[in-house]
Amino acid sequence: MTNATDAAEPLTGATTGTPTVLPDSFCPADGTRVPGGSLTWSCPTCRGPLDLDFSPSPAPLKALAGRVNSLWRYAECLPLPAPAISLGEGRTPLVELAGPVSAKLDFLMPTLSFKDRGAVMLAALARRLGPDRVIADSSGNAGTAVAAYCARAGLDCTVYVPAGTSPKKLEQIGAHGARLEVVDGDRESTALAARAAADEPGTFYASHVHNPYFLHGTKTYVHELWEDLGGRLPDALVVPVGNGTLLLGAALAIRELHTAGLIARRPALYAVQSAAVAPLAAAWRSGADDLVGETPMAPTYAEGIAIPRPLRARQILRAVRDSGGGFLTVTEDEIAAAQRDLASRGLYVESTGVACWAAVRTGALGDRTTVVPLCGAGAKTGLAEAMVG
């Protein structure tokens, strides 16, 4: 096992422009700092999620020509050098859907979901730190991605999942050699079980919510859009939000590009939630800066974003507000109809992954240029109407 102090030493042969010393983390709520290279997974004071003290400068468009065709082409913006464990993640296609709306096909990732963007960062970090074990908790896609990249990195991995997780996702996690811990209860019960295990010595908690490296992986979604659109971004970015990892990553990338003078204006961020479990949308409607009241768990086809108490709620609400965007909710009938509609266009997407198309396909954002992510493959869950709800 690599000592955490040793892990902070510079690497050799790192990609030019990428830091070789791990940056510190800090708590956005109270400012508590955590040294780079530590296995500490949450704020030691309040136990909240961490952010990374890392403010990169992206390369100009012309400098990207000829670089590796994966998310690692944005080396200047990533807190780790390109790892040997890469599966070529990133650089997914951008296709027109209808009118001003285009879709980024992130279900074409190696494990068939956008979570690969963040999972490769977590596995690369874990490999550098050398823990005895890696654990993760997930309703499916994040756990699958972490399991795959840990297999690639030769890391011992256990994934905690809630009872009722799609059998197809469980099969995929197990196929990568990870141990499964099925927790009786909902998504939050699963997270609590994983966090208890995460405090054991020698454990790396590959949390896509707590660990800020995950956000610096998901932000490459926007860097790719910027490159594919010739150095600009659309009027609006519409993203599904449960724990908010894609939205917060998008906000990071937008800030980086704007600060560097590579975009003249920032796009509006629109967050999509299932109407059945929409705590952030409820807070937005009330004008609150944080969650209001309790949101009960309820059945929904959009299981991947059914998070009653997202830990980064304040950050999500602030990011949407600062962008001039808003929140949209979709019903179960709208989700099912959107999944059928995309399938009729040749795109078979899982029920959570169609939520953004469900929100905008009838013209909710007017004639503004808009991009939606299609986040996971339909093979992971099947058709919405066939799911047990």
Side-chain angles (χ1 to χ4, degrees):
M1 176 177 169
T2 303
N3 183 278
T5 302
D6 296 337
E9 292 300 314
L11 295 178
T12 58
T15 303
T16 301
T18 306
T20 56
V21 176
L22 297 176
D24 290 348
S25 298
F26 68 94
C27 175
D30 61 30
T32 302
R33 297 186 70 83
V34 175
S38 170
L39 288 175
T40 301
W41 57 268
S42 65
C43 173
T45 304
C46 71
R47 299 290 277 180
L50 299 170
D51 283 348
L52 209 58
D53 188 3
F54 180 58
S55 300
S57 296
L61 197 62
K62 63 182 180 180
L64 300 176
R67 292 193 180 188
V68 62
N69 193 37
S70 73
L71 62 81
W72 297 97
R73 68 196 281 110
Y74 310 108
E76 293 84 354
C77 293
L78 298 175
L80 292 170
I85 64 170
S86 173
L87 292 168
E89 53 286 332
R91 300 298 291 147
T92 53
L94 180 67
V95 301
E96 293 183 5
L97 279 182
V101 182
S102 296
K104 189 157 175 60
L105 309 190
D106 258 23
F107 68 89
L108 297 180
M109 290 283 198
T111 76
L112 308 182
S113 92
F114 88 96
K115 296 292 178 65
D116 289 1
R117 294 185 183 277
V120 68
M121 300 293 293
L122 296 185
L125 177 62
R127 193 182 193 208
R128 179 167 174 175
L129 298 181
D132 297 325
R133 69 195 66 81
V134 174
I135 66 169
D137 60 279
S138 168
S139 59
N141 284 339
T144 296
V146 169
Y149 284 98
C150 281
R152 182 79 165 168
L155 294 166
D156 182 272
C157 181
T158 300
V159 180
Y160 289 72
V161 296
T165 298
S166 164
K168 296 179 181 180
K169 292 180 180 179
L170 297 179
E171 179 183 346
Q172 191 178 5
I173 293 170
H176 292 305
R179 285 181 296 278
L180 279 163
E181 290 283 348
V182 180
V183 178
D184 289 333
D186 59 15
R187 182 67 183 82
E188 184 158 341
S189 300
T190 304
L192 290 173
R195 290 170 201 163
D199 286 328
E200 296 178 7
T203 300
F204 179 92
Y205 184 24
S207 170
H208 58 292
V209 181
H210 282 85
N211 195 308
Y213 280 81
F214 197 92
L215 304 181
H216 284 270
T218 62
K219 76 181 182 184
T220 59
Y221 172 86
V222 168
H223 283 286
E224 290 176 19
L225 284 179
W226 169 77
E227 183 180 1
D228 289 342
L229 294 172
R232 61 182 179 84
L233 289 173
D235 298 328
L237 294 175
V238 181
V239 294
V241 172
N243 280 307
T245 56
L246 183 54
L247 184 139
L248 292 174
L252 277 173
I254 291 167
R255 182 166 67 246
E256 291 169 3
L257 292 166
H258 189 263
T259 299
L262 296 174
I263 54 173
R265 57 169 183 78
R266 304 185 188 206
L269 290 170
Y270 283 86
V272 178
Q273 296 207 286
S274 163
V277 185
L280 292 160
W284 177 265
R285 287 193 296 268
S286 71
D289 294 329
D290 205 345
L291 301 178
V292 291
E294 291 292 322
T295 298
M297 190 63 181
T300 175
Y301 297 141
E303 60 181 3
I305 54 173
I307 309 295
R309 288 169 287 279
L311 292 177
R312 293 187 183 267
R314 293 184 68 88
Q315 291 177 283
I316 296 165
L317 289 162
R318 184 169 63 249
V320 172
R321 187 172 290 112
D322 289 349
S323 78
F327 277 79
L328 304 169
T329 58
V330 290
T331 66
E332 301 304 289
D333 287 345
E334 288 170 333
I335 292 170
Q339 189 182 38
R340 292 193 303 270
D341 179 67
L342 284 174
S344 74
R345 298 169 186 265
L347 299 166
Y348 188 35
V349 183
E350 70 171 336
S351 47
T352 297
V354 306
C356 292
W357 179 234
V360 303
R361 74 188 188 99
T362 57
L365 298 185
D367 60 359
R368 282 180 283 182
T369 56
T370 302
V371 174
V372 300
L374 303 184
C375 293
K380 285 175 172 281
T381 57
L383 290 170
E385 292 93 333
M387 294 173 63
V388 177

